[in-house]
Amino acid sequence: MALRTGHIGLNVTDLDRSLAFYRDVLGFALIGEGKEEDRRYAFLGDGESLVLTLWQQAGKGFEGDRAGLHHLAFEADSIDRVREYEQALRTYGVDFAYEGVVAHREGAASGGIFFHDPDGTRLEISVPSGAQGAPAPVESAPTCGFF
């Protein structure tokens, strides 16, 4: 059996702010948290399993020019659900990389939205199909490659 992704751990600068974003805007459930001043963290899940851990131990925001995490992608069950997330994120005031739903590449059925969390971590919510006809903002590389 090949390895598969378990949960993702992200360092954050402000746990309260990041917890509000991932819980209240993206809909993850709080499973548990550590409240000691020097060891604050939150475990977030999807109702069945642990998906994301937030660790308050970063001194500054995400920097995309360093080796490590490129972006974190979540998969939705429909393009309509992606658009619901888009609206919630716009209401929250999120910084989007592209305007609206975009295709992963020219002519692809897959696509989604690309944006940044409160610390600047690059995020994607997409679907494997349903984005037919959406524009592809980058012709020479996958949309998720350079945002």
Side-chain angles (χ1 to χ4, degrees):
M1 178 174 98
L3 291 174
R4 64 177 189 256
T5 304
H7 70 277
I8 303 297
L10 294 178
N11 284 337
V12 299
T13 58
D14 181 331
L15 183 64
D16 295 327
R17 179 182 69 177
S18 292
L19 179 56
F21 176 78
Y22 284 97
R23 182 193 56 213
D24 302 342
V25 181
L26 296 185
F28 287 102
L30 179 63
I31 296 171
E33 63 184 311
K35 297 183 178 186
E36 289 179 43
E37 190 56 37
D38 293 345
R39 296 189 178 275
R40 295 198 61 214
Y41 62 88
F43 293 152
L44 301 170
D46 63 3
E48 295 179 19
S49 58
L50 177 64
V51 174
L52 185 63
T53 58
L54 304 175
W55 305 96
Q56 184 172 294
Q57 57 186 0
K60 57 184 180 174
F62 178 81
E63 295 185 32
D65 64 347
R66 297 193 176 186
L69 178 71
H70 180 274
H71 74 284
L72 179 56
F74 298 107
E75 187 174 302
D77 58 2
S78 70
I79 197 68
D80 290 335
R81 189 70 178 117
V82 171
R83 288 192 171 96
E84 289 172 13
Y85 280 112
E86 178 187 4
Q87 184 57 48
L89 290 161
R90 287 195 187 287
T91 299
Y92 189 78
V94 163
D95 174 34
F96 282 84
Y98 308 111
E99 185 59 38
V101 171
V102 295
H104 278 130
R105 67 181 186 291
E106 192 68 39
S110 63
I113 54 176
F114 299 82
F115 55 98
H116 301 87
D117 82 354
D119 281 311
T121 302
R122 296 179 290 205
L123 302 174
E124 166 187 353
I125 299 176
S126 61
V127 289
S129 63
Q132 299 88 320
V138 181
E139 290 183 26
S140 62
T143 302
C144 62
F146 299 95
F147 69 99

